[in-house]
Amino acid sequence: MEWYEIIHIRLFNRKDREEAMSVFSQLNFPKFNKGIKAVKLLQDIFLDNDLRILIQWQKGDENAKSIFGLHLVALLERFGRIHHIVCKELSVEKKE
């Protein structure tokens, strides 16, 4: 089952946004890649200072925040307020 971690960062200001993006760009994803399918950095289209990191997992413990996700939070929490959640993908049957 695929599962996701979403880290939402509401950055304090534009300078913090640039620094947080710099920290993110310097991460060594292969070090953490066991089970990671994708890592994406997303920006809110209306709020420049809102970023989200989407981590898509294909295996691992979907009932807990990953070491990788917790590592990201520790690196980025000085730049703004953080909300970190774990989600699983649901299958929904389409009714015709």
Side-chain angles (χ1 to χ4, degrees), residues 36-49:
I36 293 177
K37 189 170 181 181
V39 178
K40 297 180 181 186
L41 180 63
L42 308 170
Q43 178 182 326
D44 189 296
I45 61 171
F46 299 110
L47 299 170
D48 286 348
N49 285 353

Side-chain angles (χ1 to χ4, degrees), residues 19-36:
E19 289 181 25
M21 289 177 65
S22 175
V23 167
F24 181 82
S25 71
Q26 294 173 31
L27 289 173
N28 184 5
F29 294 121
K31 178 180 176 183
F32 297 99
N33 73 352
K34 294 181 181 171
I36 293 177

Side-chain angles (χ1 to χ4, degrees), residues 45-61:
I45 61 171
F46 299 110
L47 299 170
D48 286 348
N49 285 353
D50 268 22
L51 299 178
R52 285 174 183 77
I53 299 169
L54 175 68
I55 308 166
Q56 184 179 9
W57 294 90
Q58 56 190 11
K59 58 183 170 180
D61 184 3

